[in-house]
Amino acid sequence: SDLLGFTDGFICGLLRYYVTPQVLGEARNVIDRFISALIWDQNVLNDIVTFVAASVPRTKDYSAHLVKLGSPLPVSCMAHIDASRNIVLSSLLKGISSASQASQDFSGAIPPSWFPMVTSEFAHPVSVTIAMSIFSVLYSTSNNFRTKCAKGRTLRCLQSTLGAHAQQYDLFGILMELVLGSVRDIYRYTKPADVTIPKGHGANGHV
């Protein structure tokens, strides 16, 4: 379709080829509007996130990675690909955060298995932070996504990949908000009288 053609030609093109910083800045506005307008289209969304994952290196061999990506750029231009990826991820986060408030389910377009791929050991730190922000939104708003995470052991996989990024303070904040949000959800649907605490910590053993 024309939409998928635009995704492959324009958005994916930014992740393959070099453009000047000025053009890349203007591209951000176009991508923001494109994703915001078509966030409901599961096929377009899946096409975008699939290529984003493909743009993340799996090893230190960046030359081989660029060849696999279909990019003619030299290794010295990896910073440009990282910047382009971060722009696309940022637009995805904006669109998903807005649409999730309307209870839209993205678990079909963005599978849990996508997140360990974009947070690999060799992923750009900013890419990891934005990707985990997206994960936090989906995990806290979609029952289907949480169920798929449990079945696919996604949290265990993320525990492995995120170890390489443990020094990122902003990532720690996102994970803490995710944990605290999950705890709030548990207590939100639990009657106070049903939560038993050890004797000695309350007048009647309940909170």
Side-chain angles (χ1 to χ4, degrees), residues 16-154:
R16 286 192 178 109
Y17 304 103
Y18 178 81
V19 297
T20 64
Q22 181 179 1
V23 172
L24 192 59
E26 292 297 327
R28 179 196 295 270
N29 297 327
V30 176
I31 296 172
D32 275 348
R33 294 178 182 179
F34 178 75
I35 291 179
S36 176
L38 298 171
I39 197 68
W40 50 268
D41 192 313
Q42 300 279 300
N43 290 329
V44 171
L45 193 62
N46 183 257
D47 199 47
I48 293 173
V49 300
T50 297
F51 200 82
V52 166
S55 73
V56 178
R58 301 289 183 269
T59 68
K60 289 184 178 180
D61 190 349
Y62 296 137
S63 295
H65 170 69
L66 289 170
V67 171
K68 186 176 181 180
L69 188 62
S71 172
L73 297 178
V75 172
S76 58
C77 287
M78 272 302 300
H80 167 76
I81 294 178
D82 289 334
S84 299
R85 182 194 315 110
N86 293 339
I87 285 176
V88 176
L89 283 170
S90 179
S91 295
L92 283 170
L93 176 58
K94 290 179 185 177
I96 291 170
S97 296
S98 175
S100 291
Q101 294 176 4
S103 300
Q104 182 163 339
D105 183 14
F106 296 98
S107 61
I110 309 178
S113 58
W114 180 75
F115 292 92
M117 290 190 288
V118 294
T119 59
S120 71
E121 177 183 355
F122 303 99
H124 189 271
V126 176
S127 297
V128 175
T129 299
I130 301 174
M132 287 308 299
S133 294
I134 295 173
F135 180 87
S136 180
V137 172
L138 297 183
Y139 197 85
S140 61
T141 60
S142 172
N143 288 328
N144 286 339
F145 186 79
R146 287 194 294 271
T147 299
K148 290 182 178 181
C149 283
K151 290 181 178 180
R153 298 185 177 181
T154 304

